[in-house]
Amino acid sequence: MGKLYDLLMKDYRLKEGLNACINCGTCTAICPAAEFYRYDPRRIVDIVQSKDDEEIEKLLKSDTIWYCGECMSCVTRCPRKNAAGLIIMSLRNLSIELGYFIESEKGRQQYLLTKDLCSNILDYGYCVYPRRFDYAGHPEAGRVWEWEEKHLDDVFERLGGNLDGKGPGAMRRIPQEDLEQIRNIFDITGATERMENVRKAGEKKAAELGMTVEEFSEMVYKQSDPKHLNH
Amino acid sequence: MIYEGKQKIWSEYQKEIPDDHYFYVRSCIRQSFFPASEATFLDITRNKLGKDIFETEHHTTCGGIAYHSDTIPQETVMTIIARQFALMAKNGYENYVCSCITSFGLYCETMETWREFPELEAKIRENLWKSCKLEFAKPKFLIHASDLIYKYRKLIAAQAVRKLVNVHTGEPLKVVEHIGCHYSKMFPSKGVGGAEYPYVLVGMIEAWGGEIVDYPERRHCCGFGFRQYFIKGNRGYSLSNTHKKFESMEPFKPDLIITNCPGCPYFLDRWQYVIAESTGKTYGQDGHGIPALTYEEVAGLVMGYDPWDLGLQTHQVGVEPLLDKMGVEYDPAKKYLGKNGKDIGAPAPCSCLK
Amino acid sequence: MKNNILIIGGGPAGLEASAQLQRMGYNVILIEKDSVLGGHLAKWDRLFPDGVPADEVLSGLIHGTEGVKLFTETEIRAINRLEKSYNVRLTNGITVLSDAVLIASGFDLFNAVKKEEYGYGIYDRVITNADLEAYFKNGSDKRIDHPKRIGFVHCVGSRDEKSGCRSCSKVCCATAVKQAIEVKESFPDAEVFCFYMDLRLFGRHYEDLYLKAQKEYGVRFIRGRVAEVSENIDGSLVIKAEDTVASKPLKATMDLLVLMSGMRPSVSGKAVGDLLEMTVEEDGYFAVRSGIAAGQRSPLPGLFLAGAATGPKTLPETLADARAAAVEIDRYLTEIFPDARNYKQLVRERW
Amino acid sequence: MTPLYQFLAAQAEVPEVIDRIPSGYSHFVIPFTIGITFFLCWIGVGCVRLLAAIPRNDRIRFWKSLFIPKTIVKNLKDLFGDCLFHLKIWQRKPLLGYMHSAIAFGWFMIIVLGHIEVALFVPARLNVSRGGLFYPIFYRYFVWMNPGHTTLKGSFFFFLMDFFLLYILTGIGLAVFKRFRSIVLGMRHTTKPSLADRIALYSLWLIFPLRLLAESFTADLSGGSFLTVGVNHFWHFLFGDKLMFLPFWWAYSISLGLFFVAMPFSRYMHILTEVLWILLRNAGIKPHHPRKGVAEAEIYACSSCGLCLDACPMNVQKKNLKYSSVYFIRFLRRHNEKKINAIADKCLMCDKCHALCPVGVDAPALRRAQRITVNNSLPYDYSYLPSAVSAGQLSGPGRVHPRFAAAEYGLSPAADPAGAQKPEVLYFAGCMTHLTPRIIKAVEKVFKAAGVEYAFADREGGICCGRPLMLAGKTEAAAKVIEANKKMIEESGCTTLVLSCPICYKIFREEYHLEGIKVVHYTQFINDLIASGRLPVSKSDEKIVYHDPCELGRGCNVYFEPRAALDQVGTLVKAAKEYDESICCGGSLGSLTLDTRDRAKISESSLDNLLANSPETIVTACPLCLKTFSEAVSNSKHKYIRVTVKDFAEVICR
Amino acid sequence: MVDFGFGLVPSSRMNLDLFDKEKYEELAEIEPDVRICMACGSCTAVCTAGKYTRTSLREAIEDIKNAKPEKALEMLRACQLCGKCSMVCPRGINTRHLILSITKVYSAK
């Protein structure tokens, strides 16, 4: 008993976030995800503190742990100084490490997220990079973004930005040596390895489903089963 | 609502904000969507307030968005942060000012975790040395850029050319504040005014003549949720959270929303557009939306910056009704011009939102 | 020779102990920092579980103290520990040479302002249990205006590490149920909700009170801590909690919200304790010699404790504790104290 | 002046009886004629309407039954036994039985004899057009008796008429007395009469005394026997020769008329409806609706005698009197929907009122029929049932349920599927038994001791038997549950089904129709084991009282077997009331609305009843009774301190 | 109207303001025991139907009080009225009648 729990306990976020939950429900009461998904953070904390490996494994393979938006509103209110949000983060971390994330529809999204966000960081030094933020994939970015996207250089110049420019400023081109350092950090701290593993797991899943990587990505990006929601 | 009660709480959460010599790090989202806000911030601090604020081209993202999307390990993000701290130290600064709330929260969390688990700090130190041959020093003060504007809100008010007042009625504008979740929800003492009644934006609104509106869902998240926005299949969550906030603030008829988080103005703006375009509902007057501005933009407006220099045209919700109320003079024709009056066209009109 | 005994605190514990000791023939000096005796009891209207008027109980207690030297609006200026006694200087200028000191400094009600998310002192219609008692006693409170929906929030400042109190305040559950019934009696049309984490109705007849509240008054009990309170444009309150039994978040609009402020260690009691160099435990209450076997003895010889100074207690528990303290003091003064030669050894053996 | 009869006595050639009034009519007959006409029309229409409301098939069955010799014999037996002699009341309360039979049989005889007299002496008057409707009733007014010619035959009838009149009058006397002092007749509770009841009652009381008065006043003219003539002499002694008799005949007629007008609206309607009800009942027709068709005959057959008041276990508290069957039926007659529902839902369905009813009114069935009308529309979704009962799936050639196949039963289908045996005996514990695991343990111990090879149908828990649904009026839903269980049991291949819960037993016996499977209650099964010597038992001197569970005793008529078995292991003592008079334990599932406190009171009275002869052990054979008694005994009451409550199987196999 | 590929999501937050007090009082009138449930879950633990479905009387009572009677009705459809719950309820709630009453009161339009 408690093998998975022990693995979780290695995570500093769990050490910080779990202090004997009394199931009072303050976290769920104000949780944005609990309102719009079939989700109850209190239950998750309770399962983790039960140290029941079977239940924890179910969690790690489920959609449930992927509903949280990591807004950390739960942290403010907990009377026991728990942090449901941090507990979720360590569960997600373990789910990714063990490759369980690929089992669930929401967990699978890590495939795309890891690919996009990490390459943004490694390629440009930013999490978000406007030239990779396309209106086609983000129709909600509005007509104004549709216009901006077409005239990114002009808009940035007009607004005092420094898109892909030298020296400091908004959206400047970050010098290569700095990007090298970031890449080194990724290598040393396990981020590169994780990217690889997540990529492989995704491609394997795609093959299992008989899909090309593109089809798989398309599905993962758009799919949303109504079962996630309350009706 | 008993104002004195809030004052009492505000008085208990006064964080120390240093006077000068700041090391500035940018926000990925703010740079991408509101580059003028950061530009305005630097201009106000440097040129209007005469402060030393330094930015280095070598700083990068803190990795916070990737971290909160669970794509990189905690160690990775901590080492990136350590690298930022190293850059600060290298350039001789100890007052760390970040533009991003996610970063701010993450820095606070990192420092707290290091404090509690010194072995982790040592590990990160080692990681940083191995990867970048750098050594870091923890900042003496960690502040958010909005803390700085808050600190100088009265000085700004003194230089202001207008107030947050409806010039036609003389009534103060009704302003809704929205604080980024990671500003103080994790560490109430790290934010001006705490977690329940943050004062950082309220202080600005008060100083600049506006009337603060407190509505039931004020504390609720805008719904960004990292992975909940980046993946299209999850965006219903993000949208619904903003929707909840707007439904709650609607009866209060606010003129303006002011935010201190990079993502929030984007979401509070764009989700109004999506709600309008998909359900037909708008929350402002006569089919308009409620402008959701950054605190830099609002500071710029009261200080008399040209609205199109402030980048107000990059909001999907039209700001013209607000500008009219405030008595800001603007040239509608110049709204979508490029640099030096270059005609680069204009966004296609929306079908519902004015 | 009559021994002098100083009792600090004129609440139920101090009154009861002084009455007992007076009857035993000691010379009792009771000091109270307020102008009136009774402590919190003096501010309460009726008592659970059977609704006895607090005044009645209090006047009974005060009546028993005939012969006791009472000093109200009096605090301790300085204390000197002599070999066997305490030389105490009071703020009214009197100096007492006391052979035993009983600290019955009671408790403070948790300052509900500190639970910021509940908005006490900020939202117009959020009150505390004490405010509601005052309303029952005096009959008016501008915040209470024919409420249609009334919520009771249990555990405000109790079982809450954020507000610095891990422990249970013991009396609030029963108080909430009692007040829920009373408020329903005052406003029969109102819907009344109690938000609790656990209903700790441990005492005799307490469970009956709970059943009565459900059955006869239709009070709704929801298991879930209120997480957030906010104010609507019309001044009504929106509360959010999870119904943890249903595992679903909920919200409700309330016209009145009553916060069940818990018990905290008395601040002025702590000041007295500091003068006496008494130890307090992590929870802020005074340490006792042994929680089970010697709950009324402090670690220091000749210093006794009674009532909520050693942790949350119900009124009957406090009174029983005070009587026990009187017996302990009597034993000390008759068995240990008079034997001058062996005093130190006896204290070592029997304290 | 010479009395008329002396004068006429001289005329020997005159016939024995002469029409004193040639027209055969007097105005005083009007009240009676109106009453009886109204009454006859009423019952005529009523019968037609009632029979019309019965489903066609039932009606045909009814007409046919009237010609089946066996039914004819039964009808006659029941009609005389129940309607006239009230044998059922005699059995329980002799004095009350006498009262009822005196009035019913006496009146019946007077009517019959009266008509025979008319037929013998003035046969022409039987014709309706010549006053046949009233003439026989007021015969003594219209005729002159030739005193000189009194034959033995005439005297005989005079005597009989007076005898039965006296017989009735003693009954009436008792009835009047009962009204004021009911306890003397053995009744603790008695019904409260309605207005129509009162009118009918008081007129009924008056009819026969008035008849005596009227006839006695005319006895010197029309003749009479020891009673009427005797009284007549008394009048002459008192008032001389001039007797004004007409007012009494008026009064007599008026009281009769009043009675017949009030009768359809009063409980006395039962006197006639009972006849129809007996015929319908004996034809085997069951009510489908609480008020229509057969039920109408049934509810009007109730005499409101109130025997059910004392029978009802709820009446241990006076406030519950109104829930008794007699009131239920009264409200059914009055169509008081709200009260009907409340009463129907309250009943424990212990069936005691039915068992004790002198006319066999099945009030619990009517209550259930009422529940059906209310609850039948309730939605249910039992789509999960098939998968629930076949959770383990029956498999292999021997079709032995894997759950049944635990090694300890000597079955090993898993290892040897081809050689798998069918379990001869299947034990079904049921929901309630699962809440009292001690019964399961004891039953299995008994099976083991007797070497019974059995399978346990619901070891892991099954579904409900359907009886509770049935009792609640959800017949359709119950059918679904029955279907699912039935399939499982039939597929098990067993030949004997043993049930430890009487609730299950009743419905399995009555509604499951399990072909080729013997359904027995464990008391029966175990008694057989003992009788056949398979189960060795030893007698002790433990004083045992046996509680008859409602569903087992009154419900399934199983009284003998449990007692026979218990007699082998201990010393049976009697309860104050047992067999079909046993008192419900209070835990019955039959009641929908009875609350815990009321139930506790019933349990207490039931316990008191059982403790009449100071037993050491209360034995019952129902999990519900066991649980209820165990809790009641442990709950307080020092008077129960010495008694333990045990299950039947526990006592058999110690 | 534009199709963004996603839309507003229904809220699962129970809103006690939607609680139908009149209906509830009607229920409490015919079966007052509904008031005294303390949500211990004994009924659910022994429930015959609950072994195979999500049926829970405890939850159904909650649902009624939380303004979700339709969920209660749905849940109670599987009930066989076997009465085990009434035997185990520590408060002595007349569960079978309560179930019938809930169905009756809340099914009525």
Side-chain angles (χ1 to χ4, degrees), chain D residues 108-152:
Chain D
F108 174 76
M109 285 312 288
I110 277 187
I111 294 168
V112 172
L113 290 170
H115 279 77
I116 292 174
E117 267 189 313
V118 175
L120 283 175
F121 300 110
V122 271
R125 292 294 180 192
L126 279 181
N127 192 331
V128 178
S129 61
R130 300 195 58 194
L133 203 59
F134 57 84
Y135 191 88
I137 309 302
F138 304 113
Y139 173 66
R140 288 280 145 94
Y141 176 82
F142 291 111
V143 295
W144 175 73
M145 188 71 221
N146 189 342
H149 282 180
T150 312
T151 58
L152 191 63

Side-chain angles (χ1 to χ4, degrees), chain D residues 318-590:
Chain D
K318 210 170 171 206
K319 68 171 172 108
N320 286 333
L321 275 177
K322 56 179 180 293
Y323 296 115
S324 299
S325 295
V326 60
Y327 288 105
F328 178 57
I329 286 166
R330 175 176 296 176
F331 290 123
L332 281 176
R333 289 181 189 168
R334 292 185 193 163
H335 299 268
N336 187 332
E337 288 300 326
K338 210 175 162 190
K339 283 189 171 155
I340 291 170
N341 271 335
I343 301 177
D345 286 353
K346 196 65 105 179
C347 174
L348 290 155
M349 300 286 197
C350 75
D351 216 34
K352 191 165 168 185
C353 52
H354 176 207
L356 265 54
C357 180
V359 278
V361 172
D362 190 353
L366 291 175
R367 294 186 198 235
R368 217 182 72 209
Q370 173 62 22
R371 291 179 186 182
I372 291 172
T373 61
V374 177
N375 294 333
N376 210 27
S377 60
L378 297 180
Y380 60 90
D381 176 5
Y382 292 158
S383 50
Y384 66 94
L385 285 185
S387 63
V389 280
S390 59
Q393 289 310 325
L394 293 149
S395 58
R399 298 203 307 170
V400 174
H401 198 298
R403 280 201 315 238
F404 303 159
E408 67 210 68
Y409 311 130
L411 304 167
S412 52
D416 182 13
Q421 303 158 1
K422 286 182 179 184
E424 294 261 308
V425 175
L426 185 66
Y427 172 50
F428 183 88
C431 311
M432 287 300 163
T433 310
H434 276 286
L435 280 181
T436 45
R438 54 196 274 202
I439 297 181
I440 296 179
K441 216 175 142 190
V443 168
E444 293 203 273
K445 200 171 158 195
V446 168
F447 285 173
K448 212 171 171 186
V452 178
E453 284 193 358
Y454 69 103
F456 196 151
D458 56 343
R459 181 180 291 282
E460 305 302 325
I463 58 167
C464 181
C465 62
R467 176 80 178 144
L469 280 168
M470 209 68 141
L471 284 170
K474 292 179 85 174
T475 321
E476 217 179 290
K480 297 272 177 199
V481 176
I482 292 172
E483 190 191 330
N485 270 326
K486 191 176 170 181
K487 188 162 174 282
M488 181 266 288
I489 287 160
E490 282 177 345
E491 286 179 359
S492 76
C494 69
T495 51
T496 305
L497 176 65
V498 181
L499 302 151
S500 53
C501 176
I503 304 166
C504 301
Y505 178 53
K506 186 167 169 69
I507 196 167
F508 270 94
R509 226 172 67 135
E510 291 178 0
E511 307 286 344
Y512 273 62
H513 311 299
L514 293 161
E515 295 299 324
I517 298 174
K518 201 174 146 203
V519 179
V520 289
H521 188 247
Y522 74 143
T523 51
Q524 299 170 310
F525 188 75
I526 293 173
N527 187 46
D528 281 352
L529 290 177
I530 298 173
S532 64
R534 285 178 72 188
L535 181 68
V537 287
S538 57
K539 193 161 172 93
S540 76
D541 52 6
E542 182 179 3
K543 278 171 83 182
I544 295 172
V545 68
Y546 173 71
H547 167 76
D548 288 289
C550 308
E551 297 274 81
L552 189 63
R554 287 183 290 267
C556 299
N557 224 5
V558 177
Y559 296 110
F560 166 72
E561 295 92 333
R563 285 186 170 79
L566 289 172
D567 212 27
Q568 305 283 312
V569 296
T571 312
L572 269 178
V573 299
K574 283 191 165 306
K577 285 179 181 167
E578 21 178 45
Y579 298 95
D580 64 346
E581 289 195 51
S582 137
I583 301 172
C584 174
C585 69
S588 167
L589 285 174

